[in-house]
Amino acid sequence: VFLFRSMALVPYVEDSLPGLSKLHSPTATFHFADRDLRVAQDWRKLGVAAVVWDAAVVLCMYLELGKVELKGKEAIELGAGTGLVGIVAALLGAKVTITDRQPALDFLSANVKANLPPDSQGSVVVSELTWGDGLQRYPAGGFDLVLGADIVYLEDTFEPLLRTLEHLCSDSTVVLLACKIRYKRDTDFLSMLKQRFAVEEVHYDKERDIH
């Protein structure tokens, strides 16, 4: 875990890759924060952004380890997709702003509503955020924790993502990015990140090959 989200945009023929069949299921179930979570997925309508990838699962597992304080902390999730990571962070005590691009927000909001108990609904805000745009709507340096699972996927987004991170972070902010390192561009992004942030790998899930 230097813990980011990789959405490789590749042609896909249904049933051609049996290992991806779980991504076509309309729901994915998990047990985090002492709760059973049932997260909707919508590959057909929203594509790779609307399924739960391994990086999100590993990031949730890392949050449960308790190595990062969550209770009462202001957190923001970038490129949230299904919202699983932000939901788990909220269940573990954080106040979370869960963000993605506009087309995903209704889907994202429905997952939040379905998986947070009534007394926790107020701890989450779902909000539109396209990296690098409209950052003034978010407080500069206003977050204790920034979360991202598999969010590095297109080189054109690297600079906007870095600008977004710099805007959201203060000197004391912790950024957790979870990723599978697939391509040279992934390591290139890490190199760019290290020029602006202190970066260390804090967790590696060997079974899922997620850093």
Side-chain angles (χ1 to χ4, degrees), residues 97-147:
T97 301
I98 303 181
T99 71
D100 211 317
R101 293 177 298 172
Q102 186 65 42
L105 295 190
D106 288 345
F107 170 77
L108 183 52
S109 296
N111 270 336
V112 169
K113 186 175 182 180
N115 287 286
L116 283 180
D119 60 351
S120 296
Q121 296 279 341
S123 63
V124 169
V125 173
V126 174
S127 182
E128 190 274 333
L129 176 55
T130 298
W131 302 332
D133 293 341
L135 295 178
Q136 67 278 4
R137 295 186 292 111
Y138 295 87
F143 295 93
D144 303 303
L145 182 65
V146 179
L147 303 168

Side-chain angles (χ1 to χ4, degrees), residues 75-81 83-87 96-100 146-149:
I76 185 168
E77 184 184 2
L78 304 181
L84 178 64
V85 172
I87 289 166
V96 190
T97 301
I98 303 181
T99 71
D100 211 317
V146 179
L147 303 168

Side-chain angles (χ1 to χ4, degrees), residues 9-211:
L9 302 179
V10 295
Y12 180 78
V13 178
E14 188 165 0
D15 298 329
S16 66
L17 298 172
L20 294 183
S21 60
K22 66 180 180 179
L23 302 178
H24 282 276
S25 172
T27 58
T29 57
F30 305 93
H31 188 84
F32 288 115
D34 295 323
R35 291 183 63 87
D36 291 321
L37 304 178
R38 189 176 180 87
V39 177
Q41 302 188 123
D42 194 344
W43 179 290
R44 289 185 180 278
K45 185 176 179 181
L46 295 170
V48 293
V51 294
V52 178
W53 296 92
D54 284 346
V57 176
V58 172
L59 183 46
C60 290
M61 293 167 63
Y62 184 77
L63 293 178
E64 278 204 315
L65 293 177
K67 295 182 178 181
V68 176
E69 180 60 51
L70 290 169
K71 289 185 178 178
K73 299 297 184 180
E74 292 286 345
I76 185 168
E77 184 184 2
L78 304 181
T82 64
L84 178 64
V85 172
I87 289 166
V88 171
L91 290 170
L92 292 172
K95 299 176 182 177
V96 190
T97 301
I98 303 181
T99 71
D100 211 317
R101 293 177 298 172
Q102 186 65 42
L105 295 190
D106 288 345
F107 170 77
L108 183 52
S109 296
N111 270 336
V112 169
K113 186 175 182 180
N115 287 286
L116 283 180
D119 60 351
S120 296
Q121 296 279 341
S123 63
V124 169
V125 173
V126 174
S127 182
E128 190 274 333
L129 176 55
T130 298
W131 302 332
D133 293 341
L135 295 178
Q136 67 278 4
R137 295 186 292 111
Y138 295 87
F143 295 93
D144 303 303
L145 182 65
V146 179
L147 303 168
D150 239 349
I151 60 174
V152 173
Y153 56 99
L154 291 174
E155 288 180 273
D156 287 350
T157 68
F158 288 0
E159 277 297 336
L161 175 55
L162 287 167
R163 290 200 306 273
T164 300
L165 290 171
E166 288 183 311
H167 176 82
L168 298 172
C169 294
S170 69
D171 289 344
S172 61
T173 301
V174 172
V175 181
L176 291 177
L177 297 175
C179 68
K180 183 186 289 284
I181 297 178
R182 300 177 176 92
Y183 310 109
K184 179 180 179 294
R185 64 174 182 250
D186 301 332
T187 55
D188 289 345
F189 178 79
L190 274 179
S191 297
M192 295 168 69
L193 195 65
K194 289 175 180 177
Q195 292 175 19
R196 310 188 197 188
F197 291 84
V199 178
E200 63 177 310
E201 181 175 277
V202 294
H203 183 73
Y204 176 63
D205 186 302
K206 184 176 181 180
E207 179 184 352
R208 296 175 179 84
D209 189 27
I210 300 294
H211 299 264

